[in-house]
Amino acid sequence: MLIKVCFFLIAVFYASFGQASENKKLNIGIALHPYYSYVANIVGDKANIIPLVDHGFNPHAYQPQPNDMLRLQKMDAIVVNGIGHDDFAMKVIASSAREDLIVINANQDVPLLAAMGASVGQGAKNPHTFVGLSTSIQKVYTIARALAEIDPDNQAYYLGNARQFAKQMRAIKRQAMAELVQLDTRHIKVATTHNAYNYLLQEFGIEVATVIEPAHGVEPSASQLKTTIDNINQSHINVLFYELDMPNRFVDTIEQATGVQLYRFSHMTHGPYEKDKVVQEMKQNVSTLVEAIKFAERQAKS
Amino acid sequence: MISNNATHQAATPSEGVTVKVKPANGSQESLFVGLCIGAILLIAAGALLFFLPAPPAPALLAGDIASSQLSNGQKALLTELNTAAQDIQMWRQGEERWPSASELAQEWIAPFNQDASWRSRGGHQWQHLSRGDQQWYWSWPTVESTQSLAVTSMLLQVSPQGEWRVWFAKSQPYSTLSAMEQALIYAASTPDVTAQLKAAGWLRVINEDHRAH
């Protein structure tokens, strides 16, 4: 009988301890897919991650819902893009009156590129820092440092994980560079549908000649499309990058009118929230880029 | 049938009943509309004041260059140097020593590692100099750059307090590698290192704050 009571008390003690440990975990919110992956790589099982919105939404057109506010109330901190790709989240945060909520601006240390497009406003910045290797590393470092300040007991763990993430990103670039060692990237002339790929392309010394969308998320008009086709033909642009998983009705028109070679990049914003999404899809993006550079090299030599 | 109890008070010629009747010319409605317009204008003026753009950032000092003024290629280089600085500090925290330039290259930390982009930027040779509590990682180009970077040399200044500074040289400030090293050693020993570097033609990169709010 005494032994049974002891076991019961021990079970109650560990259950209480487990509950207390669970209660000590931070609740960290995210607004966009890639940031789930960043935070998951940093915190492992030391914190809970709460997406503000269920996966499957379009960040360009999403309108905040009451349920978003309910989720926000559970968060101790939230990681945001903060430079134009998650304005819906900024509205929810502003409406919440949560003075205690820690907002981690993941892009605060990233030198931002200017937005490109016929109708972008002066001073507009390119918010697609998540489609970039070095910029992703910088953001993970920024997030890890911020979380280490909030949760100093896990500082070494968070920073160590951030460095491991950086190693994975660098390994991707290393593999790509090994394939490009004899190639000259000056042969490739690039157009993109979406003003989203400059951060990645710049790391490989590639400039974007033309962006087809006049502004973020805006399709070109018929006259703008004609101007773009003329530009592509006159500039001898040989590669067009566009977005995977998104309908681009005008891409086929451009291909037929110019003969430009098409390649697709993932924005890492579709499908379930997964820890390895950024690494896996970035690997695919870089592989696509290498293929495009090789195509441009072959075309230059032929 | 009129009740016998009904009474009628007839006005006598000496008593007047005055009833003021406002003219039906819409003056009351006009006043109400005017007050509403005034209230809307006041609220709008207050909202405009609230949403005024932030005051401009303080002017840069001579010898400084804002990150927003850099070209896209230079910004990519700046991102690599910023992350490298953080790697250097984490390395020191973990290993209790500063890494050498070759160790950073072996970890494939850009821009120290030697890959295709390294060659197209100028094939920079990196050195590490330790003076006082400051660590200097500086570079010298070995081949002509095929990118239009307009950056010949780079300098990464790292302190043990968690701060760092990136310097760019658009034209080569020194004639030889050893001259550059000697100048750097001298500058690092003076009280005003910043002034010495700027006088030699280095541009200090200022990271601009672009927080959302």
Side-chain angles (χ1 to χ4, degrees):
Chain A
M1 179 63 182
L2 180 63
I3 295 173
K4 285 183 182 177
V5 170
C6 287
F7 272 121
F8 175 72
L9 287 174
I10 290 170
V12 169
F13 171 77
Y14 276 109
S16 301
F17 183 78
Q19 184 63 33
S21 297
E22 187 68 25
N23 287 339
K24 284 184 185 172
K25 278 190 186 179
L26 284 177
N27 288 321
I28 303 166
I30 58 94
L32 292 176
H33 258 83
Y35 298 84
Y36 179 95
S37 193
Y38 298 153
V39 174
N41 273 277
I42 294 167
V43 302
D45 60 353
K46 302 285 187 188
N48 302 314
I49 308 173
I50 304 177
L52 187 63
V53 181
D54 287 331
H55 70 83
F57 73 104
N58 179 0
H60 297 305
Y62 184 75
Q63 294 297 321
Q65 304 296 316
N67 195 44
D68 304 339
M69 188 66 74
L70 291 176
R71 291 189 185 190
L72 193 79
Q73 298 305 319
K74 300 178 188 173
M75 298 174 187
D76 300 304
I78 183 168
V79 178
V80 298
N81 168 278
I83 50 172
H85 217 283
D86 54 4
D87 288 341
F88 65 91
M90 310 313 288
K91 290 178 190 173
V92 176
I93 293 169
S95 304
S96 70
R98 283 277 315 269
E99 296 295 331
D100 61 322
L101 179 67
I102 299 169
V103 179
I104 299 172
N105 188 337
N107 285 291
Q108 69 180 44
D109 299 316
V110 177
L112 300 177
L113 301 181
M116 289 177 66
S119 303
V120 297
Q122 191 179 7
K125 300 299 183 185
N126 184 337
H128 300 88
T129 54
F130 43 89
V131 190
L133 292 160
S134 295
T135 48
S136 292
I137 293 173
Q138 176 59 72
K139 287 189 292 176
V140 164
Y141 282 178
T142 297
I143 296 167
R145 290 202 318 269
L147 292 178
E149 275 190 38
I150 303 169
D151 184 9
D153 290 343
N154 288 311
Q155 178 185 16
Y157 182 74
Y158 292 160
L159 294 178
N161 285 346
R163 288 190 74 187
Q164 287 302 315
F165 176 86
K167 281 188 179 178
Q168 293 182 77
M169 289 281 114
R170 287 168 178 149
I172 293 171
K173 190 172 180 186
R174 178 180 179 176
Q175 175 66 36
M177 285 298 179
E179 294 187 59
L180 298 174
V181 66
Q182 298 297 334
L183 302 183
D184 187 350
T185 57
R186 288 178 298 178
H187 293 308
I188 185 169
K189 296 190 190 311
V190 167
T192 67
T193 55
H194 207 61
N195 178 33
Y197 313 125
N198 293 43
Y199 291 105
L200 178 63
L201 296 174
Q202 278 301 329
E203 296 187 64
F204 291 82
I206 298 170
E207 295 278 355
V208 174
T210 301
V211 174
I212 295 167
E213 287 182 354
H216 195 199
V218 176
E219 285 196 359
S221 65
S223 61
Q224 287 170 335
L225 192 56
K226 184 185 182 310
T227 302
T228 297
I229 289 171
D230 292 340
N231 285 342
I232 291 175
N233 283 329
Q234 287 163 12
S235 305
H236 306 293
I237 288 173
N238 44 22
V239 167
L240 172 62
F241 292 111
Y242 67 105
E243 185 178 351
L244 187 66
D245 297 321
M246 283 291 282
N248 291 278
R249 293 176 297 176
F250 48 88
V251 168
D252 293 336
T253 304
I254 293 172
E255 185 188 21
Q256 288 165 13
T258 64
V260 71
Q261 189 73 13
L262 303 180
Y263 293 94
R264 295 184 300 177
F265 281 147
S266 167
H267 286 210
M268 297 166 279
T269 53
H270 288 82
Y273 291 108
E274 292 171 343
K275 177 183 174 184
D276 295 328
K277 179 178 275 294
V278 165
V279 171
Q280 295 304 323
E281 297 193 18
M282 187 68 77
K283 202 177 286 187
Q284 187 56 49
N285 281 350
V286 172
S287 175
T288 298
L289 178 58
V290 168
E291 193 183 326
I293 294 171
K294 287 179 176 177
F295 165 79
E297 181 84 359
R298 287 195 302 271
Q299 200 178 51
K301 286 181 177 175
S302 62
Chain B
M1 180 177 174
I2 300 174
S3 165
N4 290 329
N5 293 327
T7 58
H8 300 273
Q9 183 174 7
T12 62
S14 62
E15 294 176 358
V17 177
T18 305
V19 177
K20 284 189 180 175
V21 178
K22 289 183 181 173
N25 58 5
S27 58
Q28 194 169 12
E29 290 80 359
S30 297
L31 177 63
F32 178 71
V33 169
L35 286 173
C36 285
I37 290 172
I40 290 170
L41 287 174
L42 272 175
I43 292 169
L48 270 176
L49 288 172
F50 183 76
F51 287 109
L52 273 177
L60 293 171
L61 298 175
D64 286 345
I65 183 168
S67 58
S68 60
Q69 294 174 291
L70 300 176
S71 67
N72 286 354
Q74 291 168 343
K75 286 180 183 175
L77 190 51
L78 178 60
T79 302
E80 291 176 359
L81 287 164
N82 283 340
T83 54
Q86 291 162 85
D87 277 287
I88 289 168
Q89 287 173 336
M90 285 191 276
W91 185 303
R92 178 178 175 268
Q93 285 172 1
E95 309 263 334
E96 296 185 353
R97 65 174 180 86
W98 297 100
S100 67
S102 61
E103 286 175 318
L104 295 172
Q106 286 166 17
E107 290 289 313
W108 282 85
I109 294 173
F112 296 89
N113 61 310
Q114 297 181 3
D115 58 13
S117 66
W118 165 83
R119 186 174 300 106
S120 67
R121 284 172 172 167
H124 288 84
Q125 177 182 343
W126 284 91
Q127 303 286 337
H128 172 219
L129 180 68
S130 183
R131 279 296 179 272
D133 65 346
Q134 296 291 308
Q135 306 301 310
W136 302 90
Y137 295 86
W138 51 283
S139 69
W140 177 272
T142 59
V143 297
E144 189 176 343
S145 168
T146 55
Q147 288 188 32
S148 56
L149 264 187
V151 171
T152 54
S153 292
M154 296 165 269
L155 184 56
L156 182 59
Q157 176 187 0
V158 183
S159 78
Q161 290 81 25
E163 296 169 347
W164 69 88
R165 210 33 111 185
V166 173
W167 299 79
F168 283 160
K170 288 194 172 182
S171 58
Q172 191 54 271
Y174 311 101
S175 55
T176 63
L177 174 63
S178 59
M180 180 172 176
E181 184 173 15
Q182 291 305 313
L184 196 55
I185 291 171
Y186 172 74
S189 65
T190 63
D192 193 348
V193 180
T194 299
Q196 288 290 330
L197 291 174
K198 287 184 176 181
W202 291 96
L203 289 172
R204 183 175 61 171
V205 179
I206 303 297
N207 289 316
E208 291 172 319
D209 183 7
H210 47 71
R211 290 169 184 267
H213 54 265

